[in-house]
Amino acid sequence: MSKKQVMKDILSEKINQDKIYQNVLSKVKEEENMNKVRNKKIIYGITSSVAMLVLCIGVIINYNKPINNKNQLGKVDNSNVENVNNEKEVIQNDNIIFNTESIKGTASISGKVVDVDGEWKDTNIEGKFGFIKNIDILKQYEHLRQGMVYVKENVEDTEYSKLQQYELIYSMDGNNAPSIEIIFTTENKILQCMIPKENDLSSSIINGQEVKLFKTENFFDNSKINGEAFFEYNDYKFYIESHKIDENDFIDLIKAILKRDI
């Protein structure tokens, strides 16, 4: 073999070795790149999973918060509704309007009063109205006159045979002392007063009932009033007349009667 051919073979082998080396090197780099990609995918997968977990936790927390808020808001709303209802009830119960006129009758009373000691002879009336004598405001009075008023059945009659109304009259000793008269009946009139028409004069609302109230300043004590009240309750007509009474006590007396189921 010539020297020239030997050199040619050596160079050819060298070139082939270089190619092999480059191929091996390329394979190594490709493997490294593949490992990097795998690692990135693994890291990305882990990161994505963590992110999804955090997102789910956040959604659960946020979902629960609005529910709690809604419940709290619901409670507040219900409380507000209750407060509004209570305010309406207070306004309704305390819608107090006094008229300055009086409905006390000026004509002479044509009737006969029969005093009743202790309980009413009519047990039905005692059962219905016996509680009035136990109202706290009335316990301060020293005297109680309890009576039934009879009238003539007809003008030409000479006997007072028809029961017209019941009376409770409370008083104290002394001149110009406080007093209260409570009169009630199922008849169409009360002897001591002129029954006001429905649309006459201003009306108050007490315990959900319409009441006509009247007052004047007491001449002997301007911190007290002379009060009158007329109302209809469970088929009974009531007329209350008071002298030298505290205005709040007067209203409380009416409330104490109206809150009972008679």
Side-chain angles (χ1 to χ4, degrees):
M1 181 179 298
S2 65
K3 187 181 291 186
K4 184 176 180 180
Q5 183 63 40
V6 172
M7 291 298 296
K8 185 177 180 180
D9 291 340
I10 292 172
L11 288 173
S12 177
E13 184 177 352
K14 177 67 175 173
I15 291 170
N16 289 334
Q17 288 178 351
D18 288 341
K19 285 182 179 181
I20 292 171
Y21 175 77
Q22 291 296 329
N23 287 337
V24 171
L25 184 61
S26 176
K27 293 286 186 182
V28 171
K29 287 183 178 180
E30 184 177 349
E31 186 66 27
E32 288 178 352
N33 290 336
M34 290 293 292
N35 289 336
K36 287 181 180 180
V37 171
R38 289 194 196 99
N39 291 337
K40 285 182 179 180
K41 287 182 178 180
I42 293 171
I43 293 172
Y44 176 77
I46 294 172
T47 304
S48 299
S49 299
V50 172
M52 286 297 294
L53 179 61
V54 171
L55 180 61
C56 290
I57 293 172
V59 169
I60 292 170
I61 293 173
N62 290 331
Y63 178 76
N64 288 332
K65 282 184 178 179
I67 291 175
N68 293 333
N69 289 338
K70 285 180 181 178
N71 289 337
Q72 292 173 358
L73 287 172
K75 290 179 181 178
V76 172
D77 288 342
N78 290 338
S79 175
N80 288 339
V81 170
E82 289 175 3
N83 289 338
V84 169
N85 289 336
N86 290 337
E87 288 173 3
K88 287 181 179 178
E89 185 176 352
V90 169
I91 291 171
Q92 184 183 45
N93 290 344
D94 293 337
N95 184 19
I96 307 302
I97 303 173
F98 279 96
N99 296 281
T100 55
E101 298 87 346
S102 172
I103 59 170
K104 186 175 177 63
T106 56
S108 60
I109 299 174
S110 179
K112 179 182 178 181
V113 179
V114 177
D115 289 340
V116 178
D117 293 328
E119 296 183 352
W120 301 105
K121 294 177 182 178
D122 186 336
T123 56
N124 183 46
I125 292 299
E126 180 63 31
K128 283 187 174 183
F129 300 104
F131 76 92
I132 293 178
K133 292 176 283 186
N134 295 318
I135 294 174
D136 288 339
I137 297 166
L138 298 175
K139 291 180 179 179
Q140 60 183 300
Y141 290 86
E142 298 165 332
H143 306 288
L144 166 61
R145 181 184 176 186
Q146 185 171 308
M148 299 183 293
V149 181
Y150 289 85
V151 297
K152 295 178 180 180
E153 187 77 37
N154 299 297
V155 176
E156 63 272 11
D157 290 345
T158 57
E159 298 293 328
Y160 294 90
S161 58
K162 179 184 177 182
L163 178 60
Q164 176 65 30
Q165 61 196 37
Y166 298 89
E167 296 181 345
L168 294 169
I169 302 174
Y170 291 84
S171 60
M172 291 186 179
D173 291 330
N175 294 327
N176 303 308
S179 65
I180 295 177
E181 294 184 35
I182 302 173
I183 302 164
F184 50 94
T185 183
T186 55
E187 299 297 323
N188 59 3
K189 67 177 180 178
I190 290 176
L191 298 181
Q192 284 87 336
C193 75
M194 299 174 289
I195 304 297
K197 294 180 180 179
E198 183 177 355
N199 296 325
D200 286 351
L201 309 172
S202 298
S203 296
S204 299
I205 300 296
I206 301 176
N207 283 16
Q209 298 292 323
E210 182 179 4
V211 180
K212 302 285 188 181
L213 294 175
F214 312 85
K215 74 173 178 179
T216 57
E217 185 179 286
N218 185 268
F219 181 78
F220 301 96
D221 185 351
N222 58 17
S223 69
K224 308 293 184 180
I225 67 167
N226 299 327
E228 296 174 70
F230 175 83
F231 54 91
E232 298 186 46
Y233 183 50
N234 286 4
D235 298 326
Y236 281 85
K237 293 179 177 63
F238 282 82
Y239 174 66
I240 301 175
E241 183 184 5
S242 63
H243 295 278
K244 205 174 183 180
I245 189 174
D246 180 80
E247 183 175 311
N248 290 330
D249 286 347
F250 185 60
I251 298 300
D252 287 343
L253 171 60
I254 297 169
K255 286 184 176 182
I257 295 173
L258 288 174
K259 74 179 182 180
R260 290 294 293 259
D261 184 16
I262 59 177

